[in-house]
Amino acid sequence: MRILLVEDNPEVGRQVSESLENALYVVDIAEDGREAQFLGETEPYDLIVLDLGLPSIDGLSVLRAWREAGNQVPVLILTSRNTWREKVIGLRAGADDYLAKPFEMEELLARVEALLRRSMGHAETILSCCRIELDTTTNRVTLDGRPVSLTAYEYRTLDYLMRNQGKTVSKTELTEHIYHQDFDLDSNVIEVLVNRLRQKLGPEIIETRRGLGYCMGNPDHAA
């Protein structure tokens, strides 16, 4: 899952980015409001962590611009303005959640995961498909109850496909959600990742839809 972190404090940005990356999220960073607004309008993020006190354009203005443009990506606001009035203003501007600084990193990770689950229609922290279970809180994957060791990119690929069970996910969509914005990709990198997952989890786990992409779970009839 791919996250945009908008934070003008380099140290805070580094700490949050490292924590999110350690939790196997893909993180792009913007340090001012103008860059954040552009990235939010042009890149397909699964979630945005947005600081309010930004140079060039403030966070609330950026958020309002996204919402007015029809961008419904979940947004978690980070701010040092810890008053109920600021929270109300942020939520009414279109934020989905609000976390005041200073905060514990575990709480940030828990809120990020909860927002992602809610936005993709999952109530539980454990995703299940066929004989596979994926725990989104611990990043643990099991097959028939036995742990399976995956690389970070293998995990991200499986995670995205399991969150979108029954849907056909194109190679382009997978690429956009499991790699950073500036990552230089080979043309067959997605095929390689899917083949590795099939070797570890079983060849029948991921269905290839010629010319369309990949699907896990029950096929959707619209594909």
Side-chain angles (χ1 to χ4, degrees):
M1 306 298 283
R2 188 173 168 201
I3 294 174
L4 174 62
L5 171 61
V6 187
E7 173 58 67
D8 67 321
N9 184 310
E11 181 58 21
V12 174
R14 182 191 64 79
Q15 292 177 5
V16 173
S17 176
E18 285 183 358
S19 294
L20 290 170
E21 292 275 6
N22 287 338
L24 299 183
Y25 296 109
V26 182
V27 183
D28 294 331
I29 301 177
E31 295 184 347
D32 66 75
R34 197 174 305 279
E35 181 186 13
Q37 184 173 334
F38 173 77
L39 289 176
E41 291 172 347
T42 58
E43 296 291 330
Y45 293 105
D46 298 295
L47 183 138
I48 297 174
V49 179
L50 176 66
D51 185 31
L52 291 187
L54 299 171
S56 71
I57 307 175
D58 68 273
L60 279 179
S61 296
V62 171
L63 176 58
R64 289 191 180 106
W66 286 334
R67 295 309 191 223
E68 288 171 4
N71 186 343
Q72 297 302 311
V73 63
V75 173
L76 169 61
I77 284 180
L78 297 183
T79 182
S80 55
R81 308 170 191 175
N82 189 18
T83 69
W84 70 267
R85 291 185 186 276
E86 294 293 342
K87 292 180 182 179
V88 168
I89 291 172
L91 293 170
R92 285 180 172 169
D96 298 272
D97 202 355
Y98 196 108
L99 189 57
K101 301 176 182 177
F103 53 83
E104 295 294 331
M105 208 61 71
E106 283 297 318
E107 182 178 3
L108 170 68
L109 292 174
R111 288 175 181 265
V112 164
E113 178 54 39
L115 283 176
L116 287 171
R117 289 201 311 271
R118 186 187 312 160
S119 68
M120 303 191 79
H122 298 290
E124 303 295 331
T125 60
I126 295 179
L127 305 176
S128 299
C129 183
C130 303
R131 299 171 293 132
I132 302 168
E133 287 193 350
L134 185 152
D135 190 329
T136 59
T137 60
T138 63
N139 307 130
R140 185 173 183 265
V141 176
T142 60
L143 175 65
D144 294 328
R146 297 187 299 273
V148 178
S149 178
L150 301 179
T151 67
Y153 286 115
E154 290 168 357
Y155 175 88
R156 289 168 182 161
T157 302
L158 180 65
D159 179 43
Y160 194 78
L161 289 172
M162 290 188 71
R163 289 179 191 263
N164 289 276
Q165 284 182 53
K167 300 177 183 178
T168 301
V169 179
S170 70
K171 293 178 185 178
T172 299
E173 182 178 347
L174 263 177
T175 299
E176 290 174 337
H177 288 269
I178 69 172
Y179 286 99
H180 295 88
Q181 174 195 10
D182 55 357
F183 196 89
D184 187 19
L185 296 173
D186 294 328
S187 59
N188 68 337
V189 66
I190 297 299
E191 291 96 324
V192 170
L193 287 171
V194 170
N195 285 335
R196 288 178 181 171
L197 287 172
R198 285 172 172 153
Q199 290 170 7
K200 294 181 177 183
L201 301 172
E204 77 287 353
I205 294 301
I206 302 172
E207 174 192 355
T208 297
R209 297 190 172 173
R210 300 288 180 189
L212 297 174
Y214 303 100
C215 180
M216 288 188 70
N218 293 323
D220 61 5
H221 301 295

